[in-house]
Structures are given as C-alpha cells and as structure tokens.
Amino acid sequence: MDFDDEHTSRRELGPDVSVPPEDWTGFTRNAGMEAIYSAHQPALTRYLRRRAPRQDIGDLVQECFRRLFTRKGPASETIAEPGAYLVRIARNLLIDRARTAEARQHAAHHSFDEQDVAGPDPHAALEARDAMRRIQQAIARLKPQTRGIFLMHRFDDLSYEEIAAAKGISVKGVEWHIAQAMIAIRKARTDRK
C-alpha cells in the first residue's frame, strides 16, 4: 500500500468514526505512564534535591521512572503506591551511587605513610646528610696512604692484588689499610657530635 492508498483509507473512515477500545492497549499504557510521571515527578525531584548533587537530579529522576516503567513482572499489574515505589527506587539508586563512590575512593586512597606519597622523610634526609659529612671527615683524617688505598678499592674498584702492585706493598698490607679505613668510618657513623 503506498501513501495515496493509506490517505484514502483514512478518508473512508471519516472523522466521526472512533477507534474501538481493544485497539487502545498501547495508548492507555503510555497515558498511564504520563499520568504517573506528571503526578510524582515534582515530589521525586524534591526528594532527590535534598540528597544528591544538583547536576545529577535530572538523571536520577529519569532513571527512577525508567526503572519503574521497565520493572519485571506482569504488565497488567499496577502499583498501588507509585510515589512510594519511586522513593524506594530513588533510595536504592542513592545507595548504589554511594557504594560506588566509596569503592572508587577506597581504590584511589594512598596512605601518607607510603614513601611514594609522603615523599622523603626530611628528618631521615638530615640524618643521612649528617652521616655523610661525618664519613667524609673521617676519610679526610686518614693517613694519606690508607686514604689512597681505601679510595682505590672503593671508588676505582681495584682488587687488593692490583692495589698491592700499584703501591708496592703486600696484599696483607692492603687488607690492613682497608681495615683501618673501615674502623674509622664505622666509628664516624656511630659518633654523633
């Protein structure tokens, strides 16, 4: 049937012919939904306005009515108190949002005791700086040969044999100088002047 045939059939019915009530099933449901929306939307909006951020009110109202009209169960079953049912839906939505927000906040939480969040401890940094200063002073106070042997081993990464060959002393002599340097450094670390 093309457009002209459809237009002709409407004319044949005429404006005085009414549609029988059994053909109204979809219209009465939509009219019922519109009536429920018109009757309960202002009260639901007031209820949500006191409990949710302003920018979320429209979405929450829409979601409440969507859940009301798409609920499971027989389509012919009507709700005796749609206003109370809508408030229950709204309350459940707010609870769900609060749980989601809490879970999101908990997942994003960082303890300030953790090093990556808190940053370096200023007290520990001062102590480390002070310990380094004392160690540098202890190394500077070593005898020149002991200091040289210690620096060759620790900073030039030379073995005891290589140091012994470079300095013209025995390996036992290198061990003694390294031991003397370590004793001075250990003493400097424990002394807090």
Side-chain angles (χ1 to χ4, degrees):
M1 176 190 291
D2 64 9
F3 181 75
D4 292 333
D5 291 338
E6 185 179 316
H7 189 353
T8 309
S9 64
R10 280 192 183 163
R11 265 194 241 146
E12 291 174 2
L13 287 175
D16 299 332
V17 177
S18 62
V19 179
E22 53 271 355
D23 289 347
W24 286 7
T25 54
F27 297 113
T28 56
R29 178 164 168 77
N30 287 342
M33 287 192 279
E34 288 177 14
I36 290 172
Y37 182 84
S38 297
H40 298 287
Q41 185 269 339
L44 183 63
T45 302
R46 281 192 305 276
Y47 175 82
L48 289 169
R49 193 173 287 142
R50 288 176 275 172
R51 290 165 177 81
R54 182 181 203 127
Q55 68 271 12
D56 296 343
I57 302 296
D59 291 339
L60 288 169
V61 169
Q62 181 178 1
E63 180 63 17
C64 289
F65 280 103
R66 187 195 65 79
R67 288 186 182 190
L68 172 69
F69 296 137
T70 59
R71 72 188 187 285
K72 302 258 189 231
S76 61
E77 180 182 306
T78 59
I79 298 174
E81 294 290 331
Y85 193 80
L86 284 166
V87 168
R88 170 63 85 172
I89 292 171
R91 188 177 310 134
N92 290 341
L93 275 174
L94 293 172
I95 290 169
D96 289 346
R97 283 178 150 226
R99 283 183 189 145
T100 303
E102 183 179 347
R104 196 175 300 129
Q105 183 180 15
H106 183 69
H109 174 72
H110 291 287
S111 173
F112 283 111
D113 294 335
E114 295 175 16
Q115 184 67 20
D116 63 325
V117 175
D121 181 17
H123 183 69
L126 286 174
E127 284 184 0
R129 195 177 313 146
D130 185 48
M132 288 301 295
R133 181 188 50 79
R134 289 192 312 266
I135 291 169
Q136 285 174 342
Q137 289 173 349
I139 292 172
R141 283 192 300 263
L142 292 172
K143 293 180 182 176
Q145 186 173 4
T146 303
R147 182 175 54 247
I149 290 173
F150 175 76
L151 293 176
M152 289 172 78
H153 177 64
R154 290 296 170 126
F155 294 105
D156 295 336
D157 201 27
L158 297 176
S159 68
Y160 286 5
E161 292 80 17
E162 292 171 330
I163 296 171
K167 290 289 187 179
I169 60 173
S170 70
V171 173
K172 287 282 186 188
V174 172
E175 290 175 358
W176 184 86
H177 284 288
I178 296 289
Q180 293 302 309
M182 294 304 293
I183 289 169
I185 289 170
R186 193 170 298 120
K187 184 178 177 189
R189 289 181 67 189
T190 58
D191 290 344
R192 295 184 187 219
K193 296 179 181 178

